[in-house]
Amino acid sequence: MTPEEWTYLAVLLLCIPIGFLFKRGGHEVKQYGGAAVGLLLTLLLCHVHTWHSLVTILGTWVILCLYPRSCHYLTLGWTFSYLLFFRTVTFFGLPAPTPFSNAVQLLLTLKMVGLANEVQELSQAKKQDVASFSKSPAVGLIPSVPGLGQILCYGYCYVGLLTGPFYRYRTYLDWLQQLDSWAIPSWRPLVVRARLAPVFGLLFLAVSQLFPLAYVQSEAFAGRALPFRLFYMVPIFFAFRMRFYVAWLCAECTCIAAGFGAYPTAARARPGGGPTVLCPRAEEGAPGAVPVEYDYETIKNIDPYGTDFCVRVRDGMRYWNMTVQWWLAQYIYKSAPFRSYVMRSAWTMLISAYWHGLHPGYYLSFLTIPLCLAAEGAMEAGLRRRWGAGPGAGAERSWGAWVHWFLKMRAYDYMCMGFVLLELGHTLRYWRAVYFCVHAGALALLLLGRALAWAGPPASKEHPSREGPPRPAQGPGLE
């Protein structure tokens, strides 16, 4: 582990006991205390680069004040434009930001765009003179446009400051306004959520030690046989997953300790978005009987089992960085300037790559996903037309499902190499060493699927697919 990774881990572990202190605090203690802790961490880790986050917040506040009815797109343009400046500050003679500054800036960008969307929804609701809603996202309508002080407290709240999860301003308000935080369970959900983190951490340390990433760039690696070169990306992606599993599980535990993102199960909360069903207690803090059960689905950011064992490429994205997937689905995928699922996915992947950074490896990896999605959809459609079922239909343990799962995992192994190697030359050198197998395989499956769909007779109605048509993704993204 690098010194930065040890620092991330230390901050996450420190925030867990701090969360228990804030859990029993009142509105002002949570609002100002949480922001003070977050600002202190930002100053300690980012130093002078803290001004980048401050400028981002101030710019967003100006937009919200001047253009509340169209602030979403303006804020998206502002924050993403500032990301470009943030990543190219050295061209202007300014010092390069630290990795911690980059982490704060990434999460703050999501927050500000999400906040602008919530303000725009409020403005539209007032314009239409609508008093109540029954569908999401209006279930989580904010009560008023926040002022500069409130935005600063939301932006610098220590919860999710460096590693996520992303959460909406409405979720933050619900945390501040909890009237019965003492009744919300924390210890048991925290232990349940954290129990596998040490195992993932040990696996990461062991595998990354046995299979170092630097070996891929060595001359010795280039001389190894093709099967070894193909195999090597498997432990690289495994270590990559284990590292993020630990980070995101610890980040979720910081939320759980503070009771942050807790809603009654009746609210049917979604990761990132919050409640989808009107729940008076969650929405308004109404007094009454304590709900039987709470959950923390709103701040759930990772499903390790789903990530590792789901069958489809599209489903693998849904279980990874789930709160950011919701953000991508709501604010990028749904407003994409295309109607095709694959083209919308490609647009979302492009935006996601830009959000992550300017390294070519991000773009090479993310823009490979649409090709895999197109191949997956074509094969499912072709097999469904010819035999009435796709490879993932029926029992999850069928041979077709296992083949589909195997190909999905190898596709992610392959794409992960671009994500960790980052540089154009390094990524292409590795992909060339394995003969661009996933690109070639995905293109071959795409053509085969379309050939099956065109040439094959329609499947008998007596043996329909058990799955139905492919479902659109919640919001594509690798991380």
Side-chain angles (χ1 to χ4, degrees), residues 70-115:
S70 56
C71 58
H72 168 46
Y73 292 108
L74 292 174
T75 302
L76 183 67
W78 155 246
T79 54
F80 272 62
S81 297
Y82 195 86
L83 271 181
L84 180 61
F85 168 74
F86 174 80
R87 287 162 176 160
T88 57
V89 291
T90 54
F91 288 102
F92 302 94
L94 298 173
T98 65
F100 304 107
S101 304
N102 183 65
V104 171
Q105 197 67 26
L106 288 180
L107 271 300
L108 188 64
T109 296
L110 300 184
K111 281 183 169 182
M112 293 300 100
V113 174
L115 173 62

Side-chain angles (χ1 to χ4, degrees), residues 2 16 106 168 211-212 223 243 263 297 327 337 343 385 424 438 458 477:
T2 64
I16 293 176
L106 288 180
R168 301 170 70 229
F211 302 94
R243 179 162 63 99
Y263 289 98
E297 288 296 310
W327 186 94
M343 291 302 298
R385 178 173 175 82
L424 177 66
V438 168

Side-chain angles (χ1 to χ4, degrees), residues 170-419:
R170 175 74 256 187
T171 302
Y172 171 72
L173 286 182
D174 289 340
W175 178 61
L176 298 182
Q177 298 167 0
Q178 284 175 347
L179 299 180
D180 54 356
S181 58
W182 58 270
I184 299 175
S186 285
W187 273 111
R188 182 177 176 81
L190 189 151
V191 171
V192 170
R193 199 66 184 139
R195 68 187 187 277
L196 290 178
V199 177
F200 295 145
L202 292 175
L203 289 172
F204 162 71
L205 293 174
V207 175
S208 59
Q209 183 70 23
L210 292 172
F211 302 94
L213 177 63
Y215 184 61
V216 174
Q217 303 174 37
S218 67
E219 293 295 331
F221 181 83
R224 301 298 293 265
L226 177 60
F228 180 84
R229 299 198 301 267
L230 286 168
F231 162 77
Y232 207 84
M233 63 184 176
V234 176
I236 293 295
F237 183 45
F238 181 84
F240 180 84
R241 297 200 308 277
M242 296 303 108
R243 179 162 63 99
F244 278 98
Y245 288 172
V246 173
W248 285 332
L249 288 176
C250 289
E252 289 181 36
C253 288
T254 65
C255 298
I256 295 173
F260 195 104
Y263 289 98
T265 55
R268 299 180 185 176
R270 292 177 57 190
T276 58
V277 175
L278 189 62
C279 183
R281 189 174 187 77
E283 290 286 315
E284 302 169 13
V290 177
V292 176
E293 185 178 359
Y294 282 89
D295 63 43
Y296 289 90
E297 288 296 310
T298 298
I299 52 86
K300 185 177 181 180
N301 210 36
I302 188 65
D303 184 339
Y305 181 84
T307 299
D308 283 1
F309 295 105
C310 68
V311 174
R312 295 182 176 89
V313 171
R314 72 189 69 172
D315 292 332
M317 294 186 292
R318 295 176 185 174
Y319 295 119
W320 179 269
N321 207 355
M322 298 165 74
T323 59
V324 175
Q325 297 303 320
W326 183 90
W327 186 94
L328 287 169
Q330 291 295 120
Y331 307 135
I332 304 300
Y333 181 84
K334 289 185 177 180
S335 59
F338 307 100
R339 298 184 63 182
S340 163
Y341 165 63
V342 173
M343 291 302 298
R344 282 189 170 206
S345 298
W347 173 255
T348 307
M349 293 299 97
L350 180 62
I351 299 299
S352 182
Y354 175 81
W355 177 74
H356 280 86
L358 300 180
H359 294 289
Y362 291 144
Y363 297 85
L364 292 173
S365 295
F366 280 112
L367 293 178
T368 301
I369 292 179
L371 175 61
C372 296
L373 292 173
E376 185 176 65
M379 283 298 297
E380 286 182 336
L383 293 173
R384 183 177 297 112
R385 178 173 175 82
R386 190 170 183 86
W387 290 295
E396 287 297 304
R397 296 183 181 179
S398 69
W399 70 269
W402 282 114
V403 170
H404 197 164
W405 168 83
F406 179 84
L407 294 176
K408 181 264 296 187
M409 292 303 295
R410 301 298 73 81
Y412 278 124
D413 293 337
Y414 180 87
M415 290 182 283
C416 176
M417 297 305 294
F419 202 89

Side-chain angles (χ1 to χ4, degrees), residues 389-475:
E396 287 297 304
R397 296 183 181 179
S398 69
W399 70 269
W402 282 114
V403 170
H404 197 164
W405 168 83
F406 179 84
L407 294 176
K408 181 264 296 187
M409 292 303 295
R410 301 298 73 81
Y412 278 124
D413 293 337
Y414 180 87
M415 290 182 283
C416 176
M417 297 305 294
F419 202 89
V420 296
L421 291 173
L422 297 178
E423 300 301 327
L424 177 66
H426 296 330
T427 303
L428 293 180
R429 187 178 300 114
Y430 177 79
W431 283 355
R432 190 182 302 116
V434 294
Y435 299 100
F436 294 94
C437 57
V438 168
H439 285 98
L443 182 59
L445 290 174
L446 174 63
L447 297 176
L448 176 60
R450 292 188 174 180
L452 289 173
W454 291 335
S460 172
K461 295 182 179 180
E462 297 174 356
H463 301 284
S465 168
R466 300 183 186 182
E467 290 186 307
R471 296 169 296 174
Q474 298 289 343

